[in-house]
């Protein structure tokens, strides 16, 4: 008797994830080198704009305290936006085609990428949080608030990774992936509350930020990092982000099937 579909999916996810993590562990320098940019953001922006916290209505006593969640989430966006390039590598080497003729479920192929990106994002998020703490950042809502920040960064990272992989599977063009990600990275970041409090934004940017998933991740994290956590706000923004994550992972799974049908 064959195994239940859920068991097949779990087993396939396990083996596919093991394969991807083994490749990552053979080249751990990638995780370290990609941390250089968020470290620059953290210390450059944290020092350059420290006086911003003195503006009336900013809502934070220290700009460094405010910017750490912004850098954590921005790094998750940047790190995962180019996940489709790894998918392009597998397409060009023929690896993906070989997996598609095996019994492994298509969802397992997508889930393995999700798990790899989630673990990479969580690791880098923790490193940034520790660097911020070493520089003097305070986290009144810890440890629960820090756990929410890491979880929010993972979710927004998975959203971007799933979209990047979907683009790779449907378009199969590296230049399209690079162009779209470059076009989206700055608007997603600066039309959010990553580096500026919403109360100090122009009205139109504030309205755009309210619909920006990057702001959902930041709002969920900051709501729980404060000395007086607002768990209802965190739950609301977290639910929106979780729903978007599920939708984009489902879209990536559909894209694998679409890619297979086109072969």
């Amino acid at each position: 008797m064959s195994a239940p579909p859920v068991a097949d999916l779990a087993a396939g996810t396990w083996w596919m994830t093991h394969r991807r993590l083994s490749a990552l562990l053979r080249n751990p320098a990638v995780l370290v080198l990609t941390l250089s940019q968020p470290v620059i953001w953290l210390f450059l922006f944290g020092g350059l704009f420290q006086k911003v916290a003195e503006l009336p209505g900013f809502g934070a006593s220290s700009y460094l305290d405010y910017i750490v969640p912004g850098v954590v989430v921005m790094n998750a966006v940047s790190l995962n936006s180019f996940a489709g390039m790894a998918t392009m590598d597998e397409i060009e080497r023929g690896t993906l085609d070989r997996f598609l003729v095996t019994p492994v479920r298509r969802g397992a192929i997508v889930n393995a990428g999700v798990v790899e990106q989630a673990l990479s994002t969580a690791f880098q998020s923790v490193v940034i949080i520790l660097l911020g703490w070493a520089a003097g950042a305070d986290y009144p809502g810890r440890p629960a608030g820090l756990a929410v920040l890491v979880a929010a960064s993972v979710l927004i990272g998975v959203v971007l990774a799933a979209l990047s992989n979907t683009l790779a599977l449907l378009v199969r063009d590296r230049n399209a992936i690079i162009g779209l990600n470059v076009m989206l990275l700055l608007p997603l970041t600066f039309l959010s509350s990553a580096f500026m409090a919403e109360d100090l934004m122009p009205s139109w940017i504030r309205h755009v930020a309210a619909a920006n998933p990057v702001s959902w991740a930041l709002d969920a994290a900051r709501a729980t990092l404060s000395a007086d956590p607002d768990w209802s706000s965190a739950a609301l923004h977290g639910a929106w982000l979780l729903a978007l994550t599920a939708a984009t992972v489902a879209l990536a799974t559909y894209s694998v099937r679409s890619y297979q049908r086109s072969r």
Side-chain angles (χ1 to χ4, degrees), residues 153-207:
S153 70
V154 167
L155 288 177
I156 192 64
V158 170
V159 168
L160 270 298
L163 291 176
S164 183
N165 284 324
T166 297
L167 186 63
L169 289 163
L170 297 180
V171 179
R172 305 171 205 171
D173 184 351
R174 291 179 183 273
N175 291 328
I177 297 172
I178 294 171
L180 183 63
N181 289 331
V182 169
M183 183 178 69
L184 289 179
L185 181 59
L186 290 182
L188 280 174
T189 301
F190 290 102
L191 295 177
S192 75
S193 58
F195 298 115
M196 182 56 63
E198 291 181 6
D199 290 344
L200 298 180
M201 295 177 182
S203 176
W204 71 271
I205 294 182
R206 189 161 59 247
H207 285 94

Side-chain angles (χ1 to χ4, degrees), residues 95-150:
T95 309
L96 182 58
D97 289 343
R98 289 197 291 273
F99 283 130
L100 290 175
V101 298
T102 68
V104 67
R105 296 178 68 87
R106 306 303 168 250
I109 297 174
V110 175
N111 290 346
V114 168
V115 174
E116 180 197 10
Q117 295 299 130
L119 292 175
S120 300
T121 302
F123 168 77
Q124 291 199 346
S125 297
V126 170
V127 171
I128 294 168
I129 289 169
L130 291 175
L131 288 173
W133 175 76
D138 186 29
Y139 310 121
R142 59 180 182 230
L146 293 176
V148 172
L149 173 57
V150 173

